Amino acid sequence: MARISENKIQEVLTKTNIVEEVSKYTNLHKQGRNYVGLCLFHADQTPSMIVSPDKKIFKCFSCGVGGNIIQFVEKINNLVFPLAVIKLAKEYGIDLGNVDDYIPKDPYSSEQKLLFKINEDATNYYQAVLYNKVGIMARNYLDQRQIDRDQVGQWQIGFAYENNLVQHLLGLGYAESEIVKAGLATTNQASQKTYDYFQNRITFPVKNKDGYVIGFSARVLDQEKPKYLNTRETLIFKKSEVMFNIDYVLKNKERFANIIVLEGFMDVISLTKVGYPNCLALMGTNLSAFQINILKQLKKPIKLFLDGDGPGINAMYKIAKLLINNDLEFSIVDNLTAMDPDELVQTNQVEALKKMVDHSINVYEFFLEKFTLNEVINVDKKTTIIEQIFALLKYEKNLLVVDGVFDQLSNKLNISKEILINSFKQKQSQNLQKKVTNWSSPQILNDNNQFSLKPKTRKEDMKLKVLIALLQSKDYLTEIKDNLVYLAGADQHSYYFQQVCNTLINYYLEDKYQGNDLERFFSLLSAEKSKLLQTSVAQLKMILNQPLAKENFKMHLSSKGLEDIIWQAKFDQLSQEISNGNDELKALELQVDQNNFDPDKVRVLSGEKSKKQKELLILLKQKSELIALKNAKK
């Protein structure tokens, strides 16, 4: 992708009218030499955005968002810099030459686009069926849930009635095999007949970050199990990459002060109805590396809001460790009920819900309160609480926060702060020494009195090549950005690599860095607000000064070389997940054997075992498909 020249960018800035452009989205009123209006990037009640035709800039004095006309178009339309320039150039008749040279590479394959289109046509069909005479029971259910027609349209809710979608899609010209690949149908192996995957269920489309329908979550109208059925894993629907409402939140993130993270899509629909459009759902209680990366892109404080029961608190504890480890700012909504957010809205407890959301609390305060609630705090209980809090603190990078938690823990448990600190140091000394990087630490001085840092593993060698390729140019920016979660991995040592790459990618997108200029990169990094990035410059310089790195800088990583690295990273991650899954399955089998005199517990454990077996089958299938893809390209 070619870079738009500075002369052309200046021509766009000079010939465009910022007042005219901003007026397309909000009413502006002249005030002296400037114009004022409601800010489009936060919930503005009184006009706080100033637009200056002389300076050709806009600025909100409430939320702080501002910039020139290109930056305005970027933010309001959620576009990357080149596309914002192209949009303005077309509107104002400015010749940029061959604009195809400036358009980023399409991130989706032709097969993915086909599956998007099939799912879109299925969405339209389900919506039409909902308002057909066969949809009356579904409409009655939605009425009972207080979901009106406007909301049905907003969320594109539909109804899958018996076995008729396949025939409809065949009539539109799609092949049966394509419908199956989209996850909308399944083939009976014995009869070889193909049936609708969703039948007699209300359908809720699930979209990816770019707004394409990738699948559905569908709810039964009776007591049939499962209550909710999601699209099975497909080329475009991967459970670990699903976040309900992410397309809307990403597009409108500048307007939100924070992002509320929920468990289910019905929680999102209900909270949006009562004034919280800034929410998205994990579609479960697990937080994947992909989802963590999306939360980082949002660059907003997070409010974690799950069920208030025991499983909900356990899920928040697990997620909290990941959020802390990834340096994400967040607080927890203290759900003082046994209900989920959707149930709170349905039972008319909106005011109580708003109070809980608006007064979310610090993660450590939350868990200290929960771990000590209604408990007799004996020595054993104190030990357990300390271990649970330490398990959170070992990921904490802000030493002031760590110190404050020691104070709270000391007061709560009546244990001296010094004893807590010494205990923490004994348990976590190794973790505290590994805050910055997953590359090996400086070992010895070589003949040139430079530190020799050699990557210890193939994985680290791959990361070094990717980082250098990204520093050289943005030729592979899209490929690296889309696969960063695989290239970095999800363990605590991969955080630094991911942070540096994400920051570098943003420099390219914001046109701050044009490639092959290490001094410029280090200068930008030194000015970052993140202390981790500020203090990492010296470490990075040592890493990139090693002989192996210098050799890589002399070469240009080929597209085939990057493709092989991405394939290997995906293969390694799948292999690790399969290994972990097998270990968990063995542990569940052992628990079943140990509890064979407790039928209720065996039933629960057997259910978990069955679920884990299904997850492993999906992972094994994905690994098999990955290997087949590799072999097909040979």
Side-chain angles (χ1 to χ4, degrees):
M1 185 180 74
R3 182 170 174 267
I4 302 173
S5 71
E6 286 295 331
N7 289 339
K8 286 296 180 184
I9 293 170
Q10 285 304 316
E11 187 178 351
V12 169
L13 291 172
T14 303
K15 293 184 177 180
T16 51
N17 187 321
I18 192 167
V19 174
E20 185 180 283
E21 194 64 30
V22 175
S23 295
K24 294 175 183 178
Y25 303 92
T26 187
N27 292 323
L28 294 178
H29 305 283
K30 201 165 190 326
Q31 192 176 84
R33 300 179 68 173
N34 298 324
Y35 290 79
V36 297
L38 291 174
C39 179
L40 295 154
F41 305 106
H42 77 283
D44 203 3
Q45 301 298 318
T46 56
S48 55
M49 184 169 66
I50 305 293
V51 181
S52 169
D54 297 335
K55 297 179 181 178
K56 293 183 176 292
I57 60 171
F58 75 100
K59 174 72 176 180
C60 174
F61 287 92
S62 180
C63 70
V65 173
N68 59 36
I69 189 170
I70 298 174
Q71 291 165 320
F72 176 81
V73 171
E74 275 186 283
K75 292 178 185 296
I76 200 70
N77 296 286
N78 197 32
L79 297 174
V80 293
F81 181 83
L83 292 182
V85 176
I86 291 168
K87 184 178 188 298
L88 286 167
K90 284 181 179 178
E91 288 178 12
Y92 289 88
I94 300 167
D95 183 17
L96 293 178
N98 185 6
V99 295
D100 290 342
D101 293 341
Y102 309 130
I103 297 175
K105 180 183 173 184
D106 191 335
Y108 300 112
S109 67
S110 57
E111 186 177 4
Q112 286 174 310
K113 290 178 183 176
L114 174 66
L115 299 187
F116 292 150
K117 186 67 175 69
I118 297 174
N119 275 289
E120 182 186 343
D121 287 334
T123 301
N124 295 335
Y125 180 73
Y126 288 147
Q127 284 184 284
V129 172
L130 177 64
Y131 286 103
N132 194 294
K133 63 181 180 180
V134 298
I136 186 166
M137 287 182 64
R139 295 198 301 275
N140 289 340
Y141 170 80
L142 292 171
D143 288 340
Q144 291 169 13
R145 294 298 302 264
Q146 302 172 44
I147 298 175
D148 60 30
R149 191 157 187 152
D150 287 342
Q151 288 174 290
V152 168
Q154 177 185 358
W155 300 104
Q156 297 179 280
I157 300 169
F159 181 53
Y161 178 67
E162 294 184 352
N163 188 35
N164 44 30
L165 176 68
V166 171
Q167 290 306 313
H168 171 74
L169 293 175
L170 288 172
L172 294 180
Y174 297 114
E176 198 172 85
S177 59
E178 293 169 340
I179 301 168
V180 172
K181 279 184 180 179
L184 294 164
T186 183
T187 301
N188 184 296
Q189 296 303 315
S191 66
Q192 288 300 299
K193 288 185 178 180
T194 300
Y195 301 92
D196 286 11
Y197 185 70
F198 299 110
Q199 296 188 35
N200 294 311
R201 289 174 177 268
I202 296 176
T203 56
F204 300 83
V206 178
K207 299 179 181 181
N208 70 1
K209 62 185 179 67
D210 295 316
Y212 293 108
V213 178
I214 56 175
F216 298 86
S217 189
R219 193 199 191 283
V220 292
L221 294 172
D222 50 27
Q223 300 304 310
E224 186 184 338
K225 300 291 184 181
K227 184 192 292 186
Y228 290 99
L229 180 65
N230 293 332
T231 296
R232 63 178 181 271
E233 294 267 326
T234 68
L235 179 65
I236 58 174
F237 188 95
K238 303 184 188 304
K239 189 177 178 183
S240 65
E241 298 181 5
V242 169
M243 296 182 93
F244 188 80
N245 202 36
I246 187 57
D247 56 317
Y248 178 83
V249 170
L250 269 174
K251 186 176 180 180
N252 295 277
K253 63 181 181 179
E254 298 292 350
R255 306 181 187 187
F256 303 143
N258 53 63
I259 305 298
I260 303 171
V261 174
L262 304 161
E263 178 180 344
F265 68 87
M266 284 305 303
D267 297 326
V268 171
I269 292 172
S270 288
L271 260 70
T272 299
K273 181 169 64 176
V274 297
Y276 293 99
N278 55 319
C279 51
L280 48 81
L282 302 175
M283 303 287 279
T285 56
N286 291 321
L287 187 63
S288 69
F290 180 90
Q291 292 165 332
I292 288 170
N293 200 37
I294 290 290
L295 293 176
K296 288 177 181 177
Q297 290 177 36
L298 290 170
K299 296 181 180 178
K300 296 286 179 179
I302 296 161
K303 293 195 176 194
L304 186 59
F305 189 6
L306 304 185
D307 297 3
D309 56 10
I313 292 170
N314 290 337
M316 283 189 279
Y317 181 70
K318 184 170 65 174
I319 291 172
K321 287 193 282 189
L322 291 170
L323 294 176
I324 295 169
N325 181 31
N326 283 277
D327 206 22
L328 284 159
E329 181 184 348
F330 76 104
S331 57
I332 294 180
V333 176
D334 191 1
N335 187 349
L336 300 170
T337 74
M339 292 183 276
D340 61 36
D342 171 49
E343 289 169 333
L344 287 167
V345 175
Q346 297 303 316
T347 54
N348 299 314
Q349 298 188 58
V350 175
E351 289 307 313
L353 179 145
K354 288 185 174 181
K355 188 175 180 181
M356 289 188 289
V357 171
D358 295 343
H359 296 87
S360 57
I361 62 177
N362 173 275
V363 55
Y364 298 106
E365 290 179 19
F366 175 83
F367 286 113
L368 267 173
E369 180 65 28
K370 296 302 175 186
F371 293 157
T372 56
L373 189 65
N374 301 322
E375 293 280 357
V376 176
I377 312 297
N378 55 28
V379 173
D380 288 342
K381 184 62 182 175
K382 284 183 180 182
T383 302
T384 301
I385 293 169
I386 289 169
E387 287 176 352
Q388 289 172 313
I389 297 298
F390 280 5
L392 292 173
L393 279 179
K394 75 176 182 179
Y395 299 112
E396 181 59 63
K397 298 171 182 68
N398 188 328
L399 295 180
L400 291 176
V401 171
V402 174
D403 187 67
V405 174
F406 283 142
D407 286 333
Q408 293 179 53
L409 200 55
S410 175
N411 293 333
K412 200 83 173 177
L413 301 182
N414 196 26
I415 297 175
S416 80
K417 184 176 178 179
E418 289 71 26
I419 289 175
L420 290 170
I421 291 173
N422 289 332
S423 177
F424 183 69
K425 284 180 177 179
Q426 287 174 4
K427 289 178 177 292
Q428 311 300 339
S429 58
Q430 290 184 337
N431 297 82
L432 290 171
Q433 291 166 7
K434 294 179 180 179
K435 288 292 183 184
V436 178
T437 180
N438 64 322
W439 279 293
S440 53
S441 300
Q443 299 292 321
I444 55 172
L445 290 172
N446 62 21
D447 294 337
N448 297 319
N449 289 325
Q450 296 171 327
F451 283 113
S452 174
L453 290 97
K454 294 183 178 179
K456 294 183 291 185
T457 66
R458 178 193 63 197
K459 180 78 174 174
E460 292 167 7
D461 181 51
M462 284 161 44
K463 287 182 182 181
L464 184 61
K465 287 179 179 177
V466 168
L467 177 60
I468 288 172
L470 196 56
L471 283 164
Q472 287 174 321
S473 72
K474 56 183 177 182
D475 290 352
Y476 303 132
L477 188 144
T478 301
E479 291 87 342
I480 293 172
K481 182 170 180 277
D482 290 347
N483 293 284
L484 192 54
V485 289
Y486 303 111
L487 294 166
D491 59 80
Q492 63 181 29
H493 303 306
S494 68
Y495 172 73
Y496 174 68
F497 173 81
Q498 207 165 355
Q499 274 282 84
V500 170
C501 287
N502 271 324
T503 303
L504 181 51
I505 287 167
N506 286 333
Y507 291 159
Y508 276 119
L509 295 177
E510 294 165 5
D511 214 31
K512 293 179 180 178
Y513 181 78
Q514 282 75 48
N516 215 22
D517 188 349
L518 284 180
E519 287 308 311
R520 170 68 175 160
F521 172 64
F522 290 137
S523 174
L524 289 168
L525 210 59
S526 300
E528 284 289 331
K529 290 181 180 178
S530 167
K531 289 184 178 179
L532 178 64
L533 291 173
Q534 286 177 4
T535 57
S536 66
V537 173
Q539 182 77 14
L540 254 181
K541 284 182 177 179
M542 282 193 285
I543 291 167
L544 297 174
N545 198 37
Q546 60 175 297
L548 182 59
K550 287 182 176 180
E551 284 300 312
N552 282 322
F553 263 114
K554 293 177 184 177
M555 300 178 287
H556 186 77
L557 183 65
S558 67
S559 58
K560 176 65 167 59
L562 180 62
E563 189 179 297
D564 289 344
I565 288 174
I566 291 171
W567 184 92
Q568 190 65 55
K570 288 182 177 180
F571 183 84
D572 290 345
Q573 184 163 319
L574 279 171
S575 299
Q576 186 60 54
E577 288 178 8
I578 290 168
S579 176
N580 293 342
N582 278 320
D583 290 342
E584 291 173 19
L585 189 60
K586 289 176 184 176
L588 284 169
E589 289 171 346
L590 182 62
Q591 288 182 59
V592 170
D593 291 340
Q594 292 173 341
N595 292 277
N596 57 3
F597 296 110
D598 187 342
D600 291 335
K601 197 159 188 178
V602 167
R603 194 178 305 113
V604 172
L605 289 168
S606 297
E608 291 180 10
K609 178 182 168 184
S610 176
K611 182 180 177 183
K612 182 57 63 179
Q613 286 172 329
K614 289 177 182 177
E615 289 176 358
L616 275 170
L617 284 173
I618 291 170
L619 290 170
L620 287 165
K621 183 183 177 185
Q622 289 177 349
K623 187 174 180 180
S624 176
E625 289 172 349
L626 194 64
I627 293 170
L629 181 66
K630 180 81 167 178
N631 292 334
K633 290 184 177 182
K634 286 183 178 178

